[in-house]
Amino acid sequence: RKEVEQDPGPFNVPEGATVAFNCTYSNSASQSFFWYRQDCRKEPKLLMSVYSSGNEDGRFTAQLNRASQYISLLIRDSKLSDSATYLCVVNRGGSYIPTFGRGTSLIVHP
Amino acid sequence: NAGVMQNPRHLVRRRGQEARLRCSPVKGHSHVYWYRQLPEEGLKFMVYLQKENIIDESGMPKERFSAEFPKEGPSILRIQQVVRGDSAAYFCASSRGATNEKLFFGSGTQLSVL
């Protein structure tokens, strides 16, 4: 089983749609979790951290489920500019090495 | 620009040559990570360094690849005797600390081996 797994997609949605991605991780000792965004193979940029209590930033909501070992990202009211690859990042438990999932591709169309 | 600086942006080498990739972290950051991204693949961890120390190199190929982060100057990822399979985007990231810290990425170096 891979350390961090994501559905590569692509998720093809119309503007205004709500879309959700999940990411599963294998190491139960993992302690910190993030979502990054990558555009056209440019450098990844932090979208948001994921806290145990869940967190929201505008149209974006992130959740952590430790029991089932997954994190999720919900995007409401999708914009064309949300089209990108969304990378799930989990710090490898014990060594704090950020481990990236392969990414989920989102395409928002008019 | 106080961000992570990587150079060169593009590097072309012939098989058997050496490639040297440089990374200057965000000012005040002492933790540097190198990742490699192949086409249609995710970012693969290579090495984690702090000033003058290699902390974790579990993702580095055993041969031809080395990394350093000297007391003064940028971090260097060195690939000796490059082969076509080394062609990839190499990203450097830095963080302020080691625990639960977000990463700041450079723009990457695209290495092409002819």
Side-chain angles (χ1 to χ4, degrees):
Chain A
R1 183 181 175 185
K2 290 184 180 179
E3 286 189 74
V4 181
E5 288 201 73
Q6 293 183 253
D7 180 348
F11 285 65
N12 209 316
V13 303
E15 272 186 290
T18 295
V19 62
F21 312 133
N22 279 347
C23 165
T24 59
Y25 60 95
S26 61
N27 190 332
S28 60
S30 299
Q31 297 192 7
S32 54
F33 310 87
F34 306 89
W35 283 102
Y36 281 73
R37 169 187 170 139
Q38 186 176 30
D39 292 84
C40 298
R41 306 191 63 79
K42 294 183 179 178
E43 73 273 22
K45 294 184 179 178
L46 179 69
L47 181 65
M48 58 198 305
S49 304
V50 186
Y51 305 121
S52 296
S53 55
N55 49 304
E56 186 173 314
D57 183 3
R59 297 181 294 109
F60 299 84
T61 300
Q63 298 278 354
L64 167 63
N65 185 318
R66 284 192 185 273
S68 300
Q69 294 183 208
Y70 75 86
I71 66 173
S72 63
L73 178 68
L74 180 77
I75 305 175
R76 290 181 296 276
D77 189 23
S78 299
K79 311 291 184 191
L80 295 176
S81 58
D82 293 335
S83 298
T85 297
Y86 290 84
L87 306 171
C88 168
V89 182
V90 176
N91 273 20
R92 196 184 291 171
S95 67
Y96 305 111
I97 300 296
T99 302
F100 283 73
R102 186 174 170 174
T104 296
S105 175
L106 172 66
I107 301 170
V108 181
H109 58 82
Chain B
N1 186 345
V4 177
M5 301 300 294
Q6 284 189 252
N7 67 81
R9 288 294 305 275
H10 302 276
L11 182 60
V12 180
R13 285 287 178 266
R14 295 190 181 279
R15 282 179 296 171
Q17 292 184 318
E18 178 180 289
R20 292 172 70 88
L21 287 63
R22 296 175 185 77
C23 169
S24 296
V26 172
K27 189 175 181 181
H29 285 191
S30 58
H31 300 258
V32 166
Y33 304 80
W34 285 93
Y35 289 84
R36 177 166 64 176
Q37 188 171 34
L38 294 167
E40 308 305 321
E41 296 287 332
L43 276 80
K44 300 296 184 187
F45 167 75
M46 299 183 74
V47 61
Y48 164 39
L49 310 103
Q50 292 180 29
K51 282 286 187 181
E52 300 184 272
N53 289 303
I54 296 175
I55 306 302
D56 187 321
E57 55 181 348
S58 58
M60 287 271 274
K62 294 290 185 283
E63 298 178 349
R64 304 189 296 108
F65 285 72
S66 61
E68 63 176 8
F69 188 16
K71 187 177 180 181
E72 300 292 336
S75 176
I76 305 287
L77 179 68
R78 182 182 177 203
I79 311 172
Q80 295 178 288
Q81 299 175 325
V82 296
V83 300
R84 289 217 173 112
D86 297 332
S87 297
Y90 292 82
F91 288 101
C92 167
S94 74
S95 67
R96 186 179 54 188
T99 309
N100 302 334
E101 290 281 343
K102 62 184 179 183
L103 300 179
F104 294 81
F105 278 86
S107 299
T109 294
Q110 180 63 52
L111 173 65
S112 298
V113 180
L114 303 179

